[in-house]
Amino acid sequence: MNLDFSQIVPSIPFILKGIGATLQFVSVSIIVGLVLGTILALMKITNKKWLKWPADIYTSIFRGTPLILQLIIIHFGIPQLFEYDIPVFMSAVLAFGLNSAAYVSEIIRAGIMAVDKGQIEAAEALGIGYRPMMFNIILPQAWKNILPAMMNEFITLTKESALVSTIGYMDIMRRAEIVGAQIYRNLEPLLFAGLIYWVMIFILTNIGSWVERRMRQSD
Amino acid sequence: MINIENLTKKFGDNVVLSNISTTINKGEVVAIIGPSGSGKSTFLRCINLLEQPSNGHIWINGEEITHPKANKMEIRKAIGMVFQHFHLFPHLTVLENVSYAPVKVKHLKKDFAEKIAKEYLTRVGLMDKMDAYPNRLSGGQKQRVAIARALAMDPEIMLFDEPTSALDPEMVKEVLDVMKDLAQTGMTMVVVTHEMNFAKEVADRIIFMDDGRLVEEGNPNNFFTTPQSNRAKEFLEKVL
């Protein structure tokens, strides 16, 4: 069997550096997605149409088109439109953050909707205003429905992050490709990259199930 | 205290309440009875605007709450409500459930609100459950906490929406006893109920509803012995 990992050994530190690069932009994207997604979710659950519509249209666009297309349009479209030479990191964060926000907003919206409607009525009957009702009564309960799905979204985002190699961001995937080109062997560095992704996702999945178990205990 | 004039509520084309007019006086205990689907709960929910009336007017203490510019939040502060399914806040302890609204809505100091909350918990006999979470309570205990929660806002009117319908039979009495006590303190109460004995014993007046209409009202003695309308006669034959 023609498989030789010895040649990639000198390049291992180079590929491993990609972990930091990947985690860096994934974590910033998650934060962008969380903040924007929460705002979008709150817009969706109001009964004010002028708030609901933009949020629905936003979600429809970002869920209805391929992520790789969004990434490439942002990275090559912005320089053309605004004559601004956008750094790859920013393109990556924008595409993944904006895309994730659409999914996150749906997760939060569904989590809020799953809270018993009687809770809102009880709060209203006590004269509790919208803000304290949302933040003290509804969201703390919605959190239990939201968190498991949110962990899933983080895992997906981490995996899909490999797409940024297409615009030249030096993540794990891109580095593995570069090493492959240097040593004229592509399979070995890609298998190594696959191992790194698997370990990262394995850890995240375990954190996810731990969180879920904790949530269930508190019921 | 509560004046209701031609109250009508429609859900789309479905008329749930039609042209209900009545007056509820201060300190009066009114029991609303009638078959299910007759609009009793909707009627009750219109009084604190959990349902927005489609037509008609409601005044509380001379102030029209159905006025488009009326402040719902202010109105609700003076009206306590107890639900069939309790709707306690599951993530808050019993004490927090009762003291939350006084702090947030009335801006009372936390320790003062807790002092009031403890007084009401003592009144409903649940002082010892103060630090428990609602899921550790029986149905009857939950409902008593819900009553304490509403009372802690010091309301002028208390609305009860089938407060004992979701309870196991052996827990009905403890809740009705708390309500009887409350009635004796002179609280204005509007109670939607299927407990005919409670209505007979505690209510000053019965309102009988059927098919979204106020069919008959009167004092319990007359109503239960000599109902005027055929619908009330039929209903009482079935339930008594």
Side-chain angles (χ1 to χ4, degrees):
Chain A
M1 198 156 71
N2 181 10
L3 201 62
D4 179 11
F5 283 98
S6 64
Q7 287 187 55
I8 67 163
V9 171
S11 308
I12 283 177
F14 176 73
I15 297 178
L16 286 180
K17 258 190 202 159
I19 297 178
T22 294
L23 288 180
Q24 211 178 10
F25 107 83
V26 167
S27 47
V28 178
S29 303
I30 284 175
I31 292 168
V32 171
L34 269 180
V35 172
L36 189 58
T38 309
I39 296 170
L40 287 167
L42 291 174
M43 287 165 73
K44 283 178 191 177
I45 57 167
T46 59
N47 38 23
K48 296 189 178 72
K49 279 211 173 97
W50 57 274
L51 276 174
K52 210 168 143 357
W53 268 46
D56 285 341
I57 291 169
Y58 179 97
T59 307
S60 171
I61 290 172
F62 278 92
R63 287 206 307 181
T65 55
L67 176 52
I68 190 162
L69 180 89
Q70 295 163 18
L71 180 68
I72 290 174
I73 285 181
I74 286 173
H75 190 60
F76 298 107
I78 286 178
Q80 183 186 328
L81 291 175
F82 304 106
E83 292 180 14
Y84 169 66
D85 202 8
I86 187 166
V88 278
F89 180 80
M90 208 192 280
S91 299
V93 164
L94 265 181
F96 276 74
L98 295 179
N99 182 274
S100 181
Y103 287 91
V104 166
S105 72
E106 276 302 291
I107 291 169
I108 295 178
R109 187 194 61 82
I112 291 172
M113 299 303 270
V115 174
D116 180 10
K117 216 175 145 256
Q119 293 289 309
I120 296 175
E121 290 190 346
E124 283 181 347
L126 285 164
I128 297 167
Y130 184 79
R131 240 164 212 272
M133 173 182 85
M134 227 44 218
F135 285 99
N136 300 146
I137 307 292
I138 305 302
L139 283 176
Q141 295 182 59
W143 199 230
K144 275 187 193 169
N145 315 322
I146 291 171
L147 214 57
M150 201 68 95
M151 280 310 295
N152 230 353
E153 165 65 14
F154 296 162
I155 288 166
T156 309
L157 195 71
T158 310
K159 259 189 311 191
E160 298 296 306
S161 74
L163 284 178
V164 293
S165 61
T166 56
I167 58 166
Y169 185 72
M170 291 290 274
D171 70 330
I172 302 164
M173 180 75 185
R174 177 80 183 147
R175 281 163 191 265
E177 283 170 355
I178 289 172
V179 171
Q182 278 168 353
I183 61 173
Y184 299 106
R185 296 185 78 92
N186 278 307
L187 183 58
E188 288 84 353
L190 288 177
L191 282 173
F192 183 64
L195 177 72
I196 299 175
Y197 279 115
W198 179 78
V199 170
M200 280 168 43
I201 301 303
F202 182 79
I203 294 170
L204 263 180
T205 311
N206 274 298
I207 295 174
S209 9
W210 178 78
V211 167
E212 217 171 305
R213 267 200 308 277
R214 283 291 303 266
M215 287 269 137
R216 231 176 281 142
Q217 268 169 13
S218 68
D219 272 342
Chain B
M1 175 165 229
I2 311 175
N3 292 301
I4 297 161
E5 204 180 274
N6 295 326
L7 176 63
T8 297
K9 175 67 185 175
K10 293 177 198 162
F11 291 109
D13 289 336
N14 186 14
V15 181
V16 188
L17 294 177
S18 59
N19 280 317
I20 294 188
S21 300
T22 189
T23 298
I24 294 164
N25 298 314
K26 190 167 168 55
E28 199 177 15
V29 178
V30 176
I32 304 176
I33 62 175
S36 26
S38 58
K40 308 183 296 287
S41 288
T42 309
F43 173 65
L44 193 73
R45 292 159 60 86
C46 282
I47 298 177
N48 68 348
L49 298 178
L50 277 186
E51 301 291 353
Q52 193 65 44
S54 313
N55 267 311
H57 306 274
I58 301 172
W59 290 268
I60 292 180
N61 290 331
E63 199 183 330
E64 187 184 353
I65 65 166
T66 42
H67 194 277
K69 280 185 186 150
N71 184 342
K72 275 189 195 178
M73 292 297 160
E74 282 302 314
I75 293 157
R76 286 171 179 158
K77 276 188 205 171
I79 308 173
M81 184 158 191
V82 174
F83 299 87
Q84 181 179 1
H85 295 287
F86 334 125
H87 300 325
L88 293 180
F89 305 132
H91 59 300
L92 302 179
T93 65
V94 164
L95 184 66
E96 287 166 344
N97 261 282
V98 181
S99 62
Y100 176 81
V103 172
K104 275 288 163 187
V105 181
K106 290 188 138 183
H107 306 291
L108 300 184
K109 286 246 170 57
K110 199 178 165 217
D111 45 346
F112 184 57
E114 284 183 351
K115 198 178 139 246
I116 293 173
K118 284 173 189 167
E119 276 167 26
Y120 283 109
L121 284 174
T122 311
R123 206 161 133 188
V124 299
L126 286 170
M127 190 52 195
D128 55 325
K129 299 285 181 192
M130 152 181 118
D131 294 318
Y133 283 89
N135 61 1
R136 295 270 166 250
L137 305 181
S138 71
Q141 290 171 332
K142 281 182 193 166
Q143 196 60 298
R144 279 145 67 197
V145 173
I147 294 172
R149 177 176 71 175
L151 289 176
M153 286 295 287
D154 195 21
E156 295 174 49
I157 302 161
M158 283 285 285
L159 308 176
F160 294 84
D161 190 3
E162 303 196 20
T164 56
S165 297
L167 299 178
D168 291 336
E170 73 266 29
M171 291 168 186
V172 170
K173 189 173 175 294
E174 62 185 66
V175 172
L176 292 182
D177 284 346
V178 168
M179 290 168 63
K180 272 183 211 166
D181 281 349
L182 191 60
Q184 270 154 18
T185 65
M187 176 65 79
T188 310
M189 292 164 68
V190 187
V191 186
V192 171
T193 187
H194 293 297
E195 298 290 331
M196 295 304 147
N197 287 326
F198 175 81
K200 221 186 273 183
E201 220 181 296
V202 182
D204 301 310
R205 178 156 49 113
I206 307 288
I207 290 180
F208 175 74
M209 288 181 64
D210 185 44
D211 200 22
R213 288 164 204 284
L214 193 161
V215 178
E216 187 171 340
E217 59 183 321
N219 83 50
N221 277 333
N222 294 345
F223 178 79
F224 283 106
T225 49
T226 52
Q228 302 299 307
S229 62
N230 285 331
R231 278 302 292 134
K233 275 176 204 159
E234 281 168 33
F235 176 77
L236 288 175
E237 270 164 27
K238 279 180 199 152
V239 297
L240 289 180

